[in-house]
Amino acid sequence: MFRGGNQDAAEQGLQAAERVLKSGIDDSNVSSIKRLNLTPDAASSRILGIVAAMRALMASYRGDTAEIIPHARRALDYLPQDELAWRSTAAISLGDAHSYLGDMRAAYAAQLEAIDICTATGNLFLILYSNLNLAITLRQSGRLNQSLEICQQQMQQANENGMEHTAVAGWISAILGEVQAELNDLDGAIQQAKRGFELTEHAGDVMMLGWSCLCLARALFSRGDMSGAEELIQRMMDSARKSEVPDLAKLQLAAWQARIWLAQGRLDAASQWARERGLDAEGDLIYSHEMEYLVLARILISQGDLEEAIRLLKRLLEAAEAGGRESRVIEILILTAIAFQAKRNPDDALAKLEQALILAEPGGFIRVFVDEGPPMAGLLYEALSRGISPDYVRRLLAAFPGEEYGQAKPLQSRAPESDLIEPLSERELEVLQLIAQGLTNREIGERLFLSLNTVKAHTRNIYGKLDIHNRTQAVSRARALGILPPA
């Protein structure tokens, strides 16, 4: 019942079980107890353990950490050691509690224990479920490749055992899709995330459905399909009015909507959302609201409230570092760099960007940079000019879209290193700006007091450094990289 979103009915069932226990064991149920080879005390303990495990699981679906931990521990105390299925439920819920508190190190340790218990049950659903929790924790800890590998392994297990059309298989697809999106495999990401959403929606598991919706919304956002992401979020919010979609999923979906508004230039709508949510840059930071506060930081930057944004990001960074949430640490450092850039403090901006690059390169993070748009492209271009992580920065710059440039070529097929993106000289920037204004080579020469051959030489250099072949591509690529302002 509770998996389908009917929390009240599930709660009534648990209360009924507890009432039976309070009334004691009588003749009507003693025969059943004998068949299980249990004494009345052992039977009561077992049932209390099952009820506690169920309550822990229900609290986990709601994201209610205050309820998860006592119920899960009570379940483990009451349940016999051979009651593996229910003990695994309690162990999974304990791992969830640490995850909801934002402590990825504790979550990782608890989830490894849960996997051991689930494996001992031989129950494939529990094995898949516990491994997926670990994959999510690894993703949040910045270990993308390990998360990807676990998802692929569990997908193979599900397919080989006839579970490819179940909700848990959909959840695997969704998580796999989100990781692929970060690695910039957007076609594969959307295919997997859509499959995940469709499977979980059909199965009616509200927790898995909410998570799958988040994964698909993120993939669509990275693809630039803002209308598709908005439609999906609205569809999910409409569904949430009919069933008890977990609060955490609803909070994050609303935060994604606000981020979409920012990407669309609808600052007023995003600011109104922040006011309605009561978000305060100086208020207490709760992990379950972390994504909301990251959107608030983006709003503050867009509004020009840079000092306030930087203070908020500093507090968020300290919390993310303490919890071992390296993926968030990278995102926060990126936003801090953008804030310093807007404040016209390039040295601090590049220092924060360099920290982010050092953390992100081993995991192959791409979209966390690219999704920030032209401001990040401009910063990366400046980092390249200063020799900061040049190979990785080139990979990131190649992932930025351009209207005419098309998809970036694989690095191994690009020109030799000397012909790759290089910093433009001041004169080349002047020529590029006039190209963007539509001036001919002769007009540019007259404007800058240069000969026609000199203008052509500068133009060839610009083409080589941007790895393009004509004026239209040059302007489009320069705008995508933040060298020129958007059209």
Side-chain angles (χ1 to χ4, degrees):
M1 289 180 287
F2 78 94
R3 288 185 189 275
N6 195 338
Q7 298 277 346
D8 291 339
E11 176 62 28
Q12 290 170 10
L14 293 178
Q15 289 177 5
E18 289 173 325
R19 284 196 297 271
V20 169
L21 290 174
K22 286 180 181 178
S23 65
I25 305 296
D26 56 28
D27 293 341
S28 65
N29 47 37
V30 71
S31 59
S32 297
I33 292 170
K34 287 180 178 179
R35 281 199 300 272
L36 294 172
N37 294 319
L38 297 173
T39 65
D41 285 345
S44 296
S45 178
R46 177 178 179 273
I47 295 171
L48 283 171
I50 292 172
V51 169
M54 282 294 297
R55 287 194 183 282
L57 185 58
M58 289 169 62
S60 178
Y61 266 53
R62 297 192 304 270
D64 186 349
T65 54
E67 290 290 317
I68 298 172
I69 294 175
H71 286 307
R73 288 178 176 166
R74 187 181 186 206
L76 293 172
D77 287 341
Y78 275 108
L79 288 167
Q81 290 296 320
D82 60 356
E83 192 67 58
L84 292 174
W86 288 109
R87 289 184 69 84
S88 67
T89 298
I92 288 171
S93 298
L94 269 180
D96 288 343
H98 291 300
S99 181
Y100 293 146
L101 289 170
D103 187 344
M104 294 306 125
R105 299 181 186 92
Y108 179 76
Q111 287 160 357
L112 286 179
E113 292 183 15
I115 288 172
D116 287 342
I117 297 174
C118 291
T119 301
T121 69
N123 183 311
L124 184 58
F125 175 85
L126 292 174
I127 293 169
L128 295 174
Y129 193 100
S130 57
N131 274 280
L132 287 177
N133 277 337
L134 184 65
I136 292 170
T137 295
L138 289 168
R139 165 69 176 96
Q140 293 170 324
S141 301
R143 295 151 74 176
L144 296 181
N145 291 326
Q146 288 177 267
S147 180
L148 186 69
E149 183 179 354
I150 287 175
C151 288
Q152 291 170 338
Q153 290 172 346
Q154 302 315 303
M155 182 68 75
Q156 182 176 350
Q157 285 271 14
N159 291 341
E160 290 176 354
N161 288 274
M163 295 182 66
E164 63 270 25
H165 300 300
T166 61
V168 71
W171 195 27
I172 298 171
S173 287
I175 298 169
L176 178 60
E178 199 280 331
V179 176
Q180 287 176 313
E182 180 55 55
L183 295 170
N184 205 38
D185 177 9
L186 297 182
D187 289 340
I190 290 176
Q191 180 182 357
Q192 289 288 355
K194 279 185 175 178
R195 177 177 182 269
F197 181 79
E198 290 166 359
L199 285 175
T200 54
E201 185 178 39
H202 178 73
D205 187 306
V206 291
M207 187 281 290
M208 293 183 187
L209 175 59
W211 196 280
S212 299
C213 184
L214 285 167
C215 292
L216 179 54
R218 184 271 162 90
L220 291 169
F221 180 92
S222 292
R223 186 66 174 269
D225 185 359
M226 301 302 166
S227 60
E230 279 193 293
E231 289 175 11
L232 176 69
I233 291 169
Q234 187 57 54
R235 178 176 168 185
M236 193 65 197
M237 288 302 192
D238 291 341
S239 176
R241 298 186 185 99
K242 302 173 186 175
S243 62
E244 295 183 23
V245 174
D247 289 340
L248 184 59
K250 288 188 285 188
L251 288 175
Q252 293 196 23
L253 285 168
W256 268 113
Q257 176 63 82
R259 188 171 175 189
I260 290 168
W261 286 330
L262 283 176
Q264 294 171 330
R266 298 164 64 186
L267 178 58
D268 289 345
S271 301
Q272 177 65 24
W273 164 81
R275 286 193 295 272
E276 291 174 355
R277 290 291 303 142
L279 297 178
D280 180 3
E282 305 297 332
D284 293 336
L285 299 180
I286 302 172
Y287 170 64
S288 58
H289 296 270
E290 185 175 58
M291 185 174 176
E292 291 180 297
Y293 278 101
L294 285 168
V295 176
L296 176 61
R298 291 180 171 91
I299 292 171
L300 292 171
I301 292 170
S302 297
Q303 292 173 334
D305 297 326
L306 302 176
E307 290 291 349
E308 190 173 6
I310 290 169
R311 287 196 301 272
L312 172 59
L313 289 166
K314 181 180 179 182
R315 295 171 61 218
L316 287 167
L317 180 63
E318 291 170 354
E321 288 176 334
R325 302 191 297 277
E326 193 161 294
S327 292
R328 285 296 193 209
V329 169
I330 294 166
E331 183 178 359
I332 294 165
L333 287 170
I334 286 170
L335 289 176
T336 307
I338 291 172
F340 277 122
Q341 177 195 36
K343 195 182 174 187
R344 301 187 184 282
N345 190 336
D347 290 339
D348 283 344
L350 287 171
K352 293 298 181 183
L353 177 61
E354 185 171 15
Q355 291 178 40
L357 291 168
I358 290 169
L359 290 175
E361 184 172 9
F365 285 79
I366 299 290
R367 295 308 309 190
V368 70
F369 293 92
V370 177
D371 287 348
E372 298 301 333
M376 176 49 55
L379 266 174
L380 288 167
Y381 191 82
E382 182 62 26
L384 185 62
S385 74
R386 300 195 188 191
I388 298 173
S389 303
D391 293 339
Y392 185 35
V393 168
R394 289 190 184 97
R395 284 181 58 204
L396 295 174
L397 287 171
F400 280 83
E403 292 176 5
E404 301 291 336
Y405 186 73
Q407 294 183 347
K409 304 171 187 176
L411 290 178
Q412 62 268 27
S413 69
R414 295 175 72 93
E417 181 167 324
S418 61
D419 293 328
L420 287 171
I421 298 172
E422 298 280 351
L424 298 180
S425 68
E426 290 186 15
R427 180 61 81 185
E428 288 163 354
L429 284 171
E430 290 177 324
V431 171
L432 179 59
Q433 288 165 355
L434 295 175
I435 288 174
Q437 293 175 25
L439 273 65
T440 65
N441 284 347
R442 187 174 299 281
E443 290 169 335
I444 292 171
E446 292 172 354
R447 181 76 62 89
L448 299 178
F449 304 101
L450 300 174
S451 70
L452 184 59
N453 286 336
T454 300
V455 173
K456 289 180 178 179
H458 285 314
T459 302
R460 284 195 299 272
N461 290 339
I462 291 168
Y463 288 179
K465 290 179 178 182
L466 295 181
D467 193 18
I468 47 77
H469 305 290
N470 59 50
R471 284 171 160 246
T472 303
Q473 290 177 346
V475 173
S476 177
R477 186 63 170 160
R479 284 178 176 151
L481 295 177
I483 301 168
L484 292 175

